[in-house]
Amino acid sequence: MATTPSGTTSRGRPAGSDRHSAHRVVDRERLESVLALLDRVRYPVDLSVTHRGDALAVAVFPAHLERAGSYQSRIWRVPLDGGAPEQLTTGPRTDALPAWSPIDDRLAFAAERPIVGRMSPFLLEPGGEPRQIGDVDGSVQALAWSPDGTSVFALAVDEGGFGAATDGAIRLRWSDAPDPAVFRPDTGWRRLLRIDVETGKTEEVSPDGVSVWEFDLVDASKAVALVSEDPSESGWYRARLALLDLERRTFRDLWIPDRQVQGPALDPTGRRVAVLEGWSSDRGLVAGDVRMIELESGEAQPFDSELSDLSSIGWLDPERLWFAGWEGFGSRFGVVGAAGKVEWASTDDAIVGPNSFHARVAPIPSGGFVAIRESLRDPPEVMRRDDGTDATWTPLTSFNDGVRADLRWYPEVRELEWHGAGGLPIRGLLMLPDGDPPFRTVVMIHGGPTWAWKHGFDPGYSLPLAAAGFAVFLPNYRGSTGRGQAFTRLNVGDPAGDEFEDILLGVEHCVSLGVTMPDAVGVTGGSYGGYLTGWAVCTTDRFAAGVMVSGIVDHLSTHLTCNHAFSEFIFEGDHRDPEKLGLFMERSPITHVANAKTPTLILHGSEDQCTPLGQAEELYQALVVNGTPTELVVYPREGHGFREREHAADAQRRTVGWFERHLEGRG
């Protein structure tokens, strides 16, 4: 449990607060301008460099979906010599996952056609039109070419499987909804298939009885993969490294990790595989340490390095790997030897990778790297960089030049450090609006918790709040990434404990700086940040208002209705252990809701399988019984987060309106 910080009452209100009005007029014109600007941002993802190293392919996504629609993403070819990018595909819906042939200029990619909701494999040949290849019943989630360029390997999920929390956590459907719906534990398999590019012959090559989460080819007949017998999202948390025989459709375990794993990468000699291991709250969020496994024996090889919190690795040659990960509010990348000696490393006060979940660079055969990069004030673009610590980035694209040109206002962003629970140094960001302090302040708590706020274009998705006139405090509490595995694991076994104390003490630090009005502080966050928001409004009255987004309020009901095994790892056990069951209940906001008086807005997607809608309904009904001001807004078709344009804007406007109404000063 979090203890009460010095200088507050037992329920958290600032002792001796002066009654005064915190009212300032919300700048709605600027808010709408920023919402419109953010809607125009285009997001490049999924880089693939040609075998010659003269160009790359990239999928470019819009910021939002149309109502009940699909992402209108397109594949572009970007020359590496600075020439003009060329759009290669035209939809009609989502085009993604470009992969160049290893021997020529054929491009494989996945497209949401001909069936809405299902990604199928396509091939684009020079001078031709895209054509579908193979016969894949599932939805493609990864593509890779055989070394000789004759086959494409597709990792596809069966209908009924789930997206990760970082990808909406929606059950995948492309047929009519079943009536009645029947649920079984052995559905939603992820299968590896081999497609002959010329004939289209498609055969399943992964073993029966295991789901394949990620893979890297040894050759056309073998692959290293992350597998589990449980096909559900829960199975990912226990995935292990295996060697697949793609001809016999058998597998042999190579290594069983203690924590979550990501990004297996086979060395060019086929002798060993590097993989990342680290505690991760969600698939796609692994930021861990390098493990090196010998392929024949399965023995771990020494890899002595100071590197940590890496989210992607790959081989440059048999003795060197490139790496990319997180450090502080930015990224770290470079080259390291197979034994762990760093050849060079560089840090960047920016997100280097497709998003704040996943740091990544891509090597160029002739030397140097390409990556997607975004930073404060700068929306994402594809950039090129030479090797070495002191090299600089050169933009290759200008997808967001119009956004950058029209950016008339941007908040001041400060880095903060304060002492959290037990005196542990904690860091965070503070976004300041125009005007003179002190400000009405909103605490934005990040999800995960194995994630962190970073120096991206829209830190913490907080630009609309700052544009409206609120200061926004973004704490990277213990458990956040970017400070090593020991720091990331500090909240394991202690959810809403010292990590919440870190946040409360950070608020008092903002007050002590004269930036924050002590009695005009709101709290919000999504996912795990929604959980800690729920904890805040149910266990303290420190906050004048709360907005819980896609949150958890009851760990037991979440654990038994969601699609993942997160609770087992954050609690280090599950509900079948009476001692853990007691902790499940004690650290559930709903257990403490009887005295909750904080006005609370609750926003949730109807199809969220990560934090099911029932969580929002539980808190809403409990607050209604209390007579506490509350509203529940449920967005149809949405999962873990809001992707439709009107929903995303509506959520921002409601959040601003809620805090405008309730952050008026208390005494």
Side-chain angles (χ1 to χ4, degrees), residues 175-193:
S175 304
D176 292 338
D179 184 5
V182 178
F183 299 94
R184 300 191 309 271
D186 61 341
T187 57
W189 296 98
R190 286 169 166 78
R191 309 172 191 272
L192 188 59
L193 303 108

Side-chain angles (χ1 to χ4, degrees), residues 491-556:
N491 57 357
V492 173
D494 187 33
D498 284 347
E499 64 185 5
F500 188 64
E501 179 79 351
D502 294 340
I503 296 168
L504 291 179
L505 290 169
V507 172
E508 302 317 313
H509 180 63
C510 292
V511 172
S512 72
L513 294 174
V515 171
T516 293
M517 291 177 175
D519 56 354
V521 183
V523 61
T524 186
S527 194
Y528 195 82
Y531 161 58
L532 291 178
T533 298
W535 183 260
V537 302
C538 288
T539 65
T540 81
D541 65 357
R542 177 63 188 90
F543 300 97
V547 177
M548 187 182 82
V549 184
S550 306
I552 296 170
V553 298
D554 185 332
H555 282 293
L556 180 60

